[in-house]
Amino acid sequence: MDIPDLHPWNVTYEEAIKIQKCLKDKVILKKIDRRINYIAGLDVSYAKGANTIWTGVVVLDFPSLVKIEERWAQSKVSFPYIPGLLSFREIPALLDILTKIEVEPDLIFCDGQGIAHPRGLGIASHLGVLLRKPTIGCAKSRLVGEFDPVGEDRGEHVYLRYQNRIIGAVVRTRSRVKPVFISPGYGVVLKDCIRFVLETCPTYRIPEPTRQAHLLVNSVRCNGVRS
DNA sequence: GCGACAG
DNA sequence: ATCTTGTCGC
């Protein structure tokens, strides 16, 4: 994949926030018009106290969800985890493996928020702006926003609201299991985000692209290289 | 000052 | 995110 270098990553927290406020205006959301054949999922895994990070990407065929490619790498991180600045910790390492994939994904699932972020630029939106490619944020918990109780059946969802705006949805991907927090990253409207999440999430709580990436990075971190 | 706070 | 054992429910 072609990855333009839009800004530095070795920045102070204040500079990171400035960058987010600047890039926020570049986030465009639109209805998906062309066919989606390949969906990528990204995830990372850390060693307990060290600054070592394993990153992984899987590419699944859509809608069959058959895995057609996977890549992983090990690298070092310098930026700490700070709520609201996650992308400055994880994106540099993720860009490394994205350059290695051969099958160009039409859509990318990220582990974290899209626009459901204090400054409207969660990790999925940030990555989407950099790549100018459709991304969806699927987080396991809330960063910002308020929401009403969600129905217990799979597929039920409520909107996530923040400062009088709808920024995402709380979606029950599996009956009687804790819902996930979906928000548009880049290039996809919320309605399509919910649809793609449910269509890629037939059995488990986490959508298959992200779940497969999670299994990959945990496998290589704990058991070493797999076949 | 206090509480909240993606991964 | 990671560490960590058994346990409860579908």
Side-chain angles (χ1 to χ4, degrees):
Chain A
M1 285 184 75
D2 175 46
I3 298 175
D5 191 19
L6 294 190
H7 67 76
W9 294 100
N10 183 22
V11 295
T12 65
Y13 307 151
E14 292 74 19
E15 289 168 338
I17 289 172
K18 277 186 184 175
I19 290 170
Q20 290 180 328
K21 289 177 176 173
C22 173
L23 294 185
K24 169 195 178 170
D25 297 324
K26 295 179 178 289
V27 175
I28 303 297
L29 305 182
K30 48 185 264 189
K31 285 194 287 186
I32 292 286
D33 45 8
R34 56 195 189 79
R35 271 199 54 174
I36 299 296
N37 292 313
Y38 304 114
I39 299 182
L42 300 173
D43 197 24
V44 306
S45 182
Y46 300 98
K48 48 187 182 211
N51 61 337
T52 303
I53 182 177
W54 280 261
T55 55
V57 54
V58 299
V59 180
L60 306 187
D61 178 75
F62 181 81
S64 75
L65 305 183
V66 170
K67 185 195 297 178
I68 56 179
E69 184 174 358
E70 69 176 35
R71 302 279 169 177
W72 64 272
Q74 182 183 345
S75 57
K76 302 292 184 183
V77 291
S78 51
F79 207 94
Y81 169 68
I82 298 172
L85 298 180
L86 175 65
S87 58
F88 287 85
R89 175 171 173 77
E90 297 191 350
I91 286 186
L94 290 172
L95 290 178
D96 284 342
I97 48 170
L98 284 172
T99 63
K100 297 179 180 176
I101 60 176
E102 294 174 354
V103 178
E104 177 104 5
D106 304 304
L107 173 63
I108 299 176
F109 277 49
C110 295
D111 200 349
Q113 315 293 342
I115 62 172
H117 176 278
R119 290 167 294 281
L121 198 87
I123 187 168
S125 297
H126 196 156
L127 185 65
V129 167
L130 294 182
L131 302 177
R132 279 181 236 83
K133 182 174 284 291
T135 60
I136 292 175
C138 178
K140 297 178 291 300
S141 62
R142 184 197 76 110
L143 178 59
V144 295
E146 302 88 48
F147 60 99
D148 293 327
V150 191
E152 290 293 325
D153 291 340
R154 189 193 110 93
E156 296 199 84
H157 54 274
V158 298
Y159 288 131
L160 182 63
R161 307 176 305 274
Y162 185 58
Q163 296 173 342
N164 296 314
R165 299 277 300 170
I166 291 175
I167 58 171
V170 187
V171 182
R172 191 83 66 178
T173 51
R174 187 174 178 178
S175 297
R176 292 171 296 284
V177 170
K178 182 184 177 184
V180 294
F181 294 74
I182 303 302
S183 59
Y186 179 88
V188 193
V189 293
L190 178 58
K191 182 177 180 181
D192 286 337
C193 289
I194 296 171
R195 183 168 62 82
F196 280 115
V197 164
L198 288 173
E199 287 181 5
T200 57
C201 201
T203 308
Y204 301 98
R205 177 189 178 219
I206 304 300
E208 283 304 302
T210 304
R211 198 179 78 88
Q212 292 295 328
H214 186 76
L215 292 173
L216 170 64
V217 291
N218 276 311
S219 175
V220 295
R221 182 174 70 84
C222 301
N223 308 321
V225 182
R226 342 178 280 180
S227 50

